[in-house]
Amino acid sequence: MTDTLSFPDPTQLAVPFFVAAILAEFIWIAVKGRGGRYETRDAVTSLIMGAGSVASGLLLGFLAYGFFMLLWALTPLDLGTSVGVFILCFVLDDLRYYWVHRFGHRIRWVWASHVNHHSSQHYNLTTALRQTWTGTFTFMMIVRAPLILLGFHPAIVLLCGGLNLIYQFWIHTEAIGKMPRWFEAVMNTPSHHRVHHGRNPRYLDCNYAGVFIVWDKMFGTFVPEQDSEKVDYGLVHNLGSFNPLRVAFHEWIGIFRDVVQPGLTVRQRLSYAFGPPGYSHDGSRDTSETIKAKHLVRNPQDRGSPGFTQ
Amino acid sequence: MPLEILLILVVLGIASIAVMLHLSGRSKRARLTAESAGAAWERHFPDDQVTGVIAAQDGHAALVTTSAGVGLVWAFGADTVARHLVEVDLDDTTRGLRFRFSDFTAPSVRVALAPEERQLWRNTIQAT
Ligand SMILES: [Zn+2]
Ligand SMILES: [Zn+2]
């Protein structure tokens, strides 16, 4: 019976709310004179990336959906559609999000898709909409397979994923400092996610959480926002173009150029595609590890402080 | 909702936010002095030692000499972007110089320079 279960895509229904919230944040900043920055071309690029991401979902979403329905046909388990199952699914799907997001920063093939979310030097509600166009090609839908095989209906899993993304919208703001202590302890917040968007050596590769920050604390990737170090938003190598096509595809083109260059071993070619971002066969580039190590050479007093404990 | 209507709404929505931002002064480009250009360089390339800065008179770009060679830092909206000048082609334009990088993420940059500035910039770039 639950084979025909379907829900509307919550991210599309949330669009009017997104627009209203962006206007409200913009007016708040204009009136208060603090709490964030807006820039015309940066915001337009973010909004176009958001629209393109929805379009890409409409065009390519059937691939992931078909894969999930195939798994659903295979599995003998069906947990049904009770409220308890839905809540459990939401929590487990958030754990799924944590790992997909962590892979997104540690495997260049997945980073090629996720990088555009980090490509703005601004951090406001439009940045939240700067989403990938190429997520399907990362094959990260595989990480959801266990949920469906365990008996969570694909429609429930997809609804939880959509709600997860909607939750993450409001945390892309500088207008909110810190939430109450208990909230900061359990939930992903503007403060935690600002850190995630930082290009400061201290803030690289941390706070991968979607909704619950507890995953980062469990898996050792949590770094709290430091009053002493303002977040510098963007990429280690910031983009010099607002062109959405360049934003969407630049890292894929980078992978292609690196993989096909002459004179490499098979292992080196694979590392350019699936190694960490910043891998190079001749050590001419920096990974987040070498960036942190070089920072500690320049600033030895930071050793052992948050973000430099490895 | 039919797809055509959704598309029109999206285009109108993005356009009206763009107009609102532009009319409220959010299109201003970053202005660089010799000092702020040096700081901007070190933000992008913390391993480099900046040894000299020539800021363009209009304040939207600067030529930076560093321990790792010459580089260009330029206004990118309200922020800056920087690149070392490797694999770069220089063209004269009516208002200054155009830098063409072999870099998919930063294809080309136009820098407005007065004629005497342009000569100084060309000399500085060629000297290295
Ligand atoms: Zn991320
Ligand atoms: Zn984000």
Side-chain angles (χ1 to χ4, degrees):
Chain A
M1 191 199 87
T2 53
D3 279 352
T4 53
L5 188 67
S6 80
F7 298 107
D9 181 351
T11 43
Q12 286 172 37
L13 295 176
V15 167
F17 158 75
F18 290 161
V19 173
I22 287 168
L23 285 173
E25 187 197 34
F26 174 74
I27 292 167
W28 166 271
I29 293 168
V31 169
K32 294 275 177 178
R34 62 177 167 84
R37 301 184 305 137
Y38 269 82
E39 203 267 328
T40 309
R41 284 184 296 170
D42 172 83
V44 168
T45 300
S46 292
L47 295 170
I48 292 175
M49 295 310 293
S53 179
V54 172
S56 144
L58 291 172
L59 284 172
L60 298 171
F62 75 93
L63 286 169
Y65 188 74
F67 172 64
F68 295 150
M69 290 317 286
L70 181 74
L71 295 174
W72 184 244
L74 289 174
T75 184
L77 304 174
D78 183 351
L79 291 170
T81 57
S82 68
V83 174
V85 164
F86 179 84
I87 291 170
L88 183 62
C89 184
F90 187 83
V91 174
L92 291 177
D93 188 63
D94 193 51
L95 174 63
R96 183 277 315 173
Y97 180 89
Y98 171 87
W99 279 103
V100 168
H101 193 192
R102 187 162 168 176
F103 296 150
H105 283 264
R106 300 299 300 153
I107 301 170
R108 194 181 180 197
W109 187 266
V110 191
W111 173 242
S113 160
H114 182 58
V115 59
N116 73 72
H117 180 61
H118 289 275
S119 62
S120 173
Q121 297 189 45
H122 290 250
Y123 189 78
N124 56 47
L125 289 177
T126 67
T127 314
L129 304 183
R130 194 177 271 242
Q131 293 286 340
T132 183
W133 296 3
T134 56
T136 302
F137 305 116
T138 64
F139 305 115
M140 282 297 110
M141 62 271 245
I142 289 167
V143 185
R144 272 189 166 137
L147 279 176
I148 291 158
L149 293 174
L150 278 171
F152 293 99
H153 192 284
I156 295 180
V157 175
L158 288 172
L159 178 64
C160 287
L163 294 175
N164 198 308
L165 282 183
I166 291 174
Y167 176 85
Q168 292 183 48
F169 173 74
W170 76 278
I171 62 179
H172 290 85
T173 184
E174 293 184 287
I176 296 170
K178 290 251 165 80
M179 300 295 289
R181 280 264 292 276
W182 67 269
F183 197 87
E184 293 281 344
V186 182
M187 305 297 287
N188 197 7
T189 61
S191 174
H192 299 328
H193 199 64
R194 283 195 285 272
V195 166
H196 176 68
H197 276 257
R199 60 186 288 286
N200 321 42
R202 180 192 298 283
Y203 295 147
L204 293 176
D205 290 350
C206 66
N207 298 10
Y208 300 117
V211 173
F212 303 114
I213 197 69
V214 290
W215 308 122
D216 284 286
K217 295 181 175 177
M218 271 172 63
F219 299 118
T221 50
F222 176 64
V223 173
E225 188 176 29
Q226 307 292 303
D227 289 336
S228 55
E229 187 165 338
K230 203 176 164 332
V231 181
D232 180 15
Y233 302 106
L235 298 170
V236 170
H237 295 292
N238 278 311
L239 305 186
S241 170
F242 288 111
N243 181 336
L245 293 172
R246 291 187 188 274
V247 175
F249 297 111
H250 69 94
E251 192 67 18
W252 293 106
I253 287 169
I255 290 178
F256 177 78
R257 286 186 180 163
D258 288 335
V259 167
V260 301
Q261 65 183 298
L264 297 185
T265 66
V266 172
R267 192 192 170 85
Q268 287 168 337
R269 289 181 207 283
L270 288 173
S271 296
Y272 270 117
F274 304 109
Y279 163 85
S280 56
H281 70 287
D282 55 2
S284 60
R285 302 180 194 169
D286 283 316
T287 62
S288 56
E289 285 83 12
T290 60
I291 291 168
K292 282 177 192 262
K294 285 179 177 178
H295 174 92
L296 287 178
V297 171
R298 292 191 306 269
N299 305 277
Q301 73 282 2
D302 282 346
R303 188 177 295 279
S305 64
F308 295 112
T309 49
Q310 297 300 312
Chain B
M1 193 185 316
L3 221 50
E4 296 84 357
I5 309 239
L6 187 68
L7 194 66
I8 292 167
L9 283 179
V10 165
V11 170
L12 285 179
I14 294 176
S16 45
I17 289 177
V19 168
M20 175 190 80
L21 290 175
H22 185 73
L23 294 180
S24 64
R26 264 47 176 206
S27 305
K28 280 205 198 88
R29 295 166 70 199
R31 297 195 70 86
L32 294 164
T33 62
E35 197 175 310
S36 69
W41 187 273
E42 281 168 357
R43 174 180 156 246
H44 291 290
F45 297 103
D47 288 329
D48 288 2
Q49 249 87 59
V50 173
T51 53
V53 179
I54 307 170
Q57 281 166 17
D58 78 348
H60 293 316
L63 204 58
V64 180
T65 48
T66 80
S67 51
V70 181
L72 179 71
V73 55
W74 69 95
F76 182 69
D79 304 295
T80 60
V81 169
R83 291 290 186 272
H84 290 102
L85 295 184
V86 285
E87 294 187 69
V88 65
D89 286 324
L90 275 186
D91 303 323
D92 285 304
T93 63
T94 46
R95 295 185 54 230
L97 286 174
R98 182 170 64 158
F99 293 75
R100 281 185 296 134
F101 298 97
S102 65
D103 179 341
F104 188 79
T105 65
S108 78
V109 186
R110 286 167 182 274
V111 179
L113 296 167
E116 68 279 7
E117 279 188 286
R118 183 195 320 216
Q119 203 48 54
L120 173 65
W121 279 48
R122 272 195 175 277
N123 293 344
T124 309
I125 294 164
Q126 264 141 29
T128 55

PDB file of all heavy atoms in Angstrom, chain A residues 281-302:
ATOM      1  N   HIS A 281      50.303  15.518  -7.136  1.00  0.00           N
ATOM      2  CA  HIS A 281      51.291  14.429  -7.197  1.00  0.00           C
ATOM      3  C   HIS A 281      52.688  14.925  -6.860  1.00  0.00           C
ATOM      4  O   HIS A 281      53.545  14.149  -6.460  1.00  0.00           O
ATOM      5  CB  HIS A 281      51.276  13.783  -8.583  1.00  0.00           C
ATOM      6  CG  HIS A 281      51.824  14.661  -9.666  1.00  0.00           C
ATOM      7  ND1 HIS A 281      51.137  15.754 -10.149  1.00  0.00           N
ATOM      8  CD2 HIS A 281      53.003  14.625 -10.334  1.00  0.00           C
ATOM      9  CE1 HIS A 281      51.867  16.331 -11.090  1.00  0.00           C
ATOM     10  NE2 HIS A 281      52.994  15.685 -11.219  1.00  0.00           N
ATOM     11  N   ASP A 282      52.922  16.266  -7.023  1.00  0.00           N
ATOM     12  CA  ASP A 282      54.263  16.809  -6.791  1.00  0.00           C
ATOM     13  C   ASP A 282      54.313  17.699  -5.548  1.00  0.00           C
ATOM     14  O   ASP A 282      55.308  18.390  -5.320  1.00  0.00           O
ATOM     15  CB  ASP A 282      54.720  17.605  -8.018  1.00  0.00           C
ATOM     16  CG  ASP A 282      53.719  18.698  -8.392  1.00  0.00           C
ATOM     17  OD1 ASP A 282      52.705  18.854  -7.674  1.00  0.00           O
ATOM     18  OD2 ASP A 282      53.945  19.385  -9.396  1.00  0.00           O
ATOM     19  N   GLY A 283      53.239  17.684  -4.750  1.00  0.00           N
ATOM     20  CA  GLY A 283      53.233  18.490  -3.529  1.00  0.00           C
ATOM     21  C   GLY A 283      53.173  19.984  -3.777  1.00  0.00           C
ATOM     22  O   GLY A 283      53.463  20.782  -2.884  1.00  0.00           O
ATOM     23  N   SER A 284      52.762  20.394  -4.979  1.00  0.00           N
ATOM     24  CA  SER A 284      52.743  21.821  -5.301  1.00  0.00           C
ATOM     25  C   SER A 284      51.501  22.525  -4.764  1.00  0.00           C
ATOM     26  O   SER A 284      51.399  23.741  -4.837  1.00  0.00           O
ATOM     27  CB  SER A 284      52.823  22.011  -6.817  1.00  0.00           C
ATOM     28  OG  SER A 284      51.722  21.381  -7.440  1.00  0.00           O
ATOM     29  N   ARG A 285      50.532  21.763  -4.263  1.00  0.00           N
ATOM     30  CA  ARG A 285      49.312  22.374  -3.732  1.00  0.00           C
ATOM     31  C   ARG A 285      49.150  22.044  -2.259  1.00  0.00           C
ATOM     32  O   ARG A 285      49.826  21.158  -1.746  1.00  0.00           O
ATOM     33  CB  ARG A 285      48.080  21.859  -4.496  1.00  0.00           C
ATOM     34  CG  ARG A 285      48.153  22.125  -5.978  1.00  0.00           C
ATOM     35  CD  ARG A 285      46.912  21.589  -6.656  1.00  0.00           C
ATOM     36  NE  ARG A 285      47.096  21.539  -8.104  1.00  0.00           N
ATOM     37  CZ  ARG A 285      46.266  20.927  -8.930  1.00  0.00           C
ATOM     38  NH1 ARG A 285      45.188  20.317  -8.461  1.00  0.00           N
ATOM     39  NH2 ARG A 285      46.492  20.926 -10.229  1.00  0.00           N
ATOM     40  N   ASP A 286      48.220  22.727  -1.637  1.00  0.00           N
ATOM     41  CA  ASP A 286      47.981  22.512  -0.214  1.00  0.00           C
ATOM     42  C   ASP A 286      46.654  21.810   0.028  1.00  0.00           C
ATOM     43  O   ASP A 286      45.631  22.171  -0.557  1.00  0.00           O
ATOM     44  CB  ASP A 286      47.961  23.856   0.532  1.00  0.00           C
ATOM     45  CG  ASP A 286      49.365  24.406   0.734  1.00  0.00           C
ATOM     46  OD1 ASP A 286      50.241  23.609   1.109  1.00  0.00           O
ATOM     47  OD2 ASP A 286      49.572  25.609   0.503  1.00  0.00           O
ATOM     48  N   THR A 287      46.671  20.828   0.909  1.00  0.00           N
ATOM     49  CA  THR A 287      45.435  20.260   1.437  1.00  0.00           C
ATOM     50  C   THR A 287      45.140  20.972   2.757  1.00  0.00           C
ATOM     51  O   THR A 287      45.959  21.756   3.247  1.00  0.00           O
ATOM     52  CB  THR A 287      45.594  18.755   1.722  1.00  0.00           C
ATOM     53  OG1 THR A 287      46.609  18.597   2.714  1.00  0.00           O
ATOM     54  CG2 THR A 287      46.005  18.002   0.466  1.00  0.00           C
ATOM     55  N   SER A 288      43.976  20.690   3.345  1.00  0.00           N
ATOM     56  CA  SER A 288      43.672  21.361   4.611  1.00  0.00           C
ATOM     57  C   SER A 288      44.708  20.999   5.679  1.00  0.00           C
ATOM     58  O   SER A 288      45.023  21.822   6.535  1.00  0.00           O
ATOM     59  CB  SER A 288      42.255  21.031   5.069  1.00  0.00           C
ATOM     60  OG  SER A 288      42.086  19.648   5.162  1.00  0.00           O
ATOM     61  N   GLU A 289      45.264  19.788   5.610  1.00  0.00           N
ATOM     62  CA  GLU A 289      46.302  19.402   6.597  1.00  0.00           C
ATOM     63  C   GLU A 289      47.539  20.290   6.454  1.00  0.00           C
ATOM     64  O   GLU A 289      48.068  20.784   7.458  1.00  0.00           O
ATOM     65  CB  GLU A 289      46.710  17.928   6.426  1.00  0.00           C
ATOM     66  CG  GLU A 289      45.701  16.923   6.933  1.00  0.00           C
ATOM     67  CD  GLU A 289      44.601  16.642   5.923  1.00  0.00           C
ATOM     68  OE1 GLU A 289      44.736  17.057   4.746  1.00  0.00           O
ATOM     69  OE2 GLU A 289      43.596  16.022   6.302  1.00  0.00           O
ATOM     70  N   THR A 290      48.011  20.467   5.215  1.00  0.00           N
ATOM     71  CA  THR A 290      49.237  21.265   5.061  1.00  0.00           C
ATOM     72  C   THR A 290      48.947  22.738   5.349  1.00  0.00           C
ATOM     73  O   THR A 290      49.818  23.447   5.854  1.00  0.00           O
ATOM     74  CB  THR A 290      49.845  21.091   3.657  1.00  0.00           C
ATOM     75  OG1 THR A 290      48.906  21.509   2.677  1.00  0.00           O
ATOM     76  CG2 THR A 290      50.240  19.648   3.406  1.00  0.00           C
ATOM     77  N   ILE A 291      47.731  23.185   5.061  1.00  0.00           N
ATOM     78  CA  ILE A 291      47.386  24.581   5.382  1.00  0.00           C
ATOM     79  C   ILE A 291      47.424  24.789   6.898  1.00  0.00           C
ATOM     80  O   ILE A 291      47.968  25.780   7.394  1.00  0.00           O
ATOM     81  CB  ILE A 291      45.992  24.928   4.816  1.00  0.00           C
ATOM     82  CG1 ILE A 291      46.051  24.982   3.289  1.00  0.00           C
ATOM     83  CG2 ILE A 291      45.500  26.273   5.378  1.00  0.00           C
ATOM     84  CD1 ILE A 291      44.686  25.039   2.622  1.00  0.00           C
ATOM     85  N   LYS A 292      46.875  23.831   7.627  1.00  0.00           N
ATOM     86  CA  LYS A 292      46.900  23.950   9.102  1.00  0.00           C
ATOM     87  C   LYS A 292      48.342  23.867   9.610  1.00  0.00           C
ATOM     88  O   LYS A 292      48.735  24.619  10.521  1.00  0.00           O
ATOM     89  CB  LYS A 292      46.049  22.836   9.734  1.00  0.00           C
ATOM     90  CG  LYS A 292      44.543  23.106   9.659  1.00  0.00           C
ATOM     91  CD  LYS A 292      43.739  21.938  10.243  1.00  0.00           C
ATOM     92  CE  LYS A 292      42.256  22.045   9.935  1.00  0.00           C
ATOM     93  NZ  LYS A 292      41.449  22.619  11.006  1.00  0.00           N
ATOM     94  N   ALA A 293      49.130  22.939   9.031  1.00  0.00           N
ATOM     95  CA  ALA A 293      50.519  22.779   9.482  1.00  0.00           C
ATOM     96  C   ALA A 293      51.317  24.055   9.230  1.00  0.00           C
ATOM     97  O   ALA A 293      52.083  24.511  10.093  1.00  0.00           O
ATOM     98  CB  ALA A 293      51.160  21.590   8.774  1.00  0.00           C
ATOM     99  N   LYS A 294      51.128  24.656   8.039  1.00  0.00           N
ATOM    100  CA  LYS A 294      51.859  25.896   7.733  1.00  0.00           C
ATOM    101  C   LYS A 294      51.424  27.030   8.654  1.00  0.00           C
ATOM    102  O   LYS A 294      52.235  27.863   9.051  1.00  0.00           O
ATOM    103  CB  LYS A 294      51.635  26.290   6.267  1.00  0.00           C
ATOM    104  CG  LYS A 294      52.401  25.436   5.287  1.00  0.00           C
ATOM    105  CD  LYS A 294      52.124  25.866   3.858  1.00  0.00           C
ATOM    106  CE  LYS A 294      52.966  25.049   2.874  1.00  0.00           C
ATOM    107  NZ  LYS A 294      52.661  25.425   1.468  1.00  0.00           N
ATOM    108  N   HIS A 295      50.120  27.053   8.982  1.00  0.00           N
ATOM    109  CA  HIS A 295      49.642  28.072   9.913  1.00  0.00           C
ATOM    110  C   HIS A 295      50.332  27.924  11.266  1.00  0.00           C
ATOM    111  O   HIS A 295      50.711  28.919  11.886  1.00  0.00           O
ATOM    112  CB  HIS A 295      48.126  27.978  10.081  1.00  0.00           C
ATOM    113  CG  HIS A 295      47.583  28.910  11.124  1.00  0.00           C
ATOM    114  ND1 HIS A 295      47.146  30.183  10.821  1.00  0.00           N
ATOM    115  CD2 HIS A 295      47.434  28.773  12.466  1.00  0.00           C
ATOM    116  CE1 HIS A 295      46.757  30.782  11.936  1.00  0.00           C
ATOM    117  NE2 HIS A 295      46.916  29.950  12.946  1.00  0.00           N
ATOM    118  N   LEU A 296      50.503  26.681  11.706  1.00  0.00           N
ATOM    119  CA  LEU A 296      51.120  26.458  13.022  1.00  0.00           C
ATOM    120  C   LEU A 296      52.605  26.834  13.008  1.00  0.00           C
ATOM    121  O   LEU A 296      53.145  27.246  14.035  1.00  0.00           O
ATOM    122  CB  LEU A 296      50.934  25.005  13.453  1.00  0.00           C
ATOM    123  CG  LEU A 296      49.504  24.650  13.889  1.00  0.00           C
ATOM    124  CD1 LEU A 296      49.400  23.181  14.252  1.00  0.00           C
ATOM    125  CD2 LEU A 296      49.057  25.526  15.062  1.00  0.00           C
ATOM    126  N   VAL A 297      53.247  26.725  11.837  1.00  0.00           N
ATOM    127  CA  VAL A 297      54.638  27.189  11.752  1.00  0.00           C
ATOM    128  C   VAL A 297      54.674  28.712  11.932  1.00  0.00           C
ATOM    129  O   VAL A 297      55.522  29.243  12.651  1.00  0.00           O
ATOM    130  CB  VAL A 297      55.263  26.779  10.404  1.00  0.00           C
ATOM    131  CG1 VAL A 297      56.625  27.454  10.217  1.00  0.00           C
ATOM    132  CG2 VAL A 297      55.407  25.261  10.336  1.00  0.00           C
ATOM    133  N   ARG A 298      53.727  29.399  11.320  1.00  0.00           N
ATOM    134  CA  ARG A 298      53.684  30.861  11.453  1.00  0.00           C
ATOM    135  C   ARG A 298      53.155  31.299  12.815  1.00  0.00           C
ATOM    136  O   ARG A 298      53.513  32.364  13.310  1.00  0.00           O
ATOM    137  CB  ARG A 298      52.768  31.471  10.360  1.00  0.00           C
ATOM    138  CG  ARG A 298      53.282  31.366   8.942  1.00  0.00           C
ATOM    139  CD  ARG A 298      52.428  32.230   7.993  1.00  0.00           C
ATOM    140  NE  ARG A 298      51.005  31.925   8.066  1.00  0.00           N
ATOM    141  CZ  ARG A 298      50.396  31.023   7.299  1.00  0.00           C
ATOM    142  NH1 ARG A 298      51.074  30.337   6.414  1.00  0.00           N
ATOM    143  NH2 ARG A 298      49.115  30.799   7.431  1.00  0.00           N
ATOM    144  N   ASN A 299      52.245  30.477  13.394  1.00  0.00           N
ATOM    145  CA  ASN A 299      51.584  30.849  14.664  1.00  0.00           C
ATOM    146  C   ASN A 299      51.648  29.682  15.650  1.00  0.00           C
ATOM    147  O   ASN A 299      50.623  29.066  15.955  1.00  0.00           O
ATOM    148  CB  ASN A 299      50.116  31.217  14.412  1.00  0.00           C
ATOM    149  CG  ASN A 299      49.956  32.303  13.363  1.00  0.00           C
ATOM    150  OD1 ASN A 299      50.072  33.482  13.651  1.00  0.00           O
ATOM    151  ND2 ASN A 299      49.719  31.897  12.121  1.00  0.00           N
ATOM    152  N   PRO A 300      52.859  29.368  16.144  1.00  0.00           N
ATOM    153  CA  PRO A 300      52.993  28.179  17.001  1.00  0.00           C
ATOM    154  C   PRO A 300      52.133  28.236  18.257  1.00  0.00           C
ATOM    155  O   PRO A 300      51.778  27.191  18.806  1.00  0.00           O
ATOM    156  CB  PRO A 300      54.491  28.151  17.344  1.00  0.00           C
ATOM    157  CG  PRO A 300      55.042  29.461  16.933  1.00  0.00           C
ATOM    158  CD  PRO A 300      54.132  30.048  15.916  1.00  0.00           C
ATOM    159  N   GLN A 301      51.776  29.438  18.687  1.00  0.00           N
ATOM    160  CA  GLN A 301      50.964  29.554  19.910  1.00  0.00           C
ATOM    161  C   GLN A 301      49.570  28.948  19.728  1.00  0.00           C
ATOM    162  O   GLN A 301      48.878  28.671  20.710  1.00  0.00           O
ATOM    163  CB  GLN A 301      50.857  31.020  20.351  1.00  0.00           C
ATOM    164  CG  GLN A 301      49.956  31.915  19.512  1.00  0.00           C
ATOM    165  CD  GLN A 301      50.591  32.377  18.178  1.00  0.00           C
ATOM    166  OE1 GLN A 301      51.726  31.989  17.857  1.00  0.00           O
ATOM    167  NE2 GLN A 301      49.870  33.181  17.413  1.00  0.00           N
ATOM    168  N   ASP A 302      49.129  28.738  18.458  1.00  0.00           N
ATOM    169  CA  ASP A 302      47.789  28.189  18.217  1.00  0.00           C
ATOM    170  C   ASP A 302      47.731  26.670  18.368  1.00  0.00           C
ATOM    171  O   ASP A 302      46.642  26.085  18.369  1.00  0.00           O
ATOM    172  CB  ASP A 302      47.307  28.565  16.806  1.00  0.00           C
ATOM    173  CG  ASP A 302      46.804  30.002  16.736  1.00  0.00           C
ATOM    174  OD1 ASP A 302      46.591  30.592  17.814  1.00  0.00           O
ATOM    175  OD2 ASP A 302      46.638  30.525  15.625  1.00  0.00           O
TER     176      ASP A 302
END
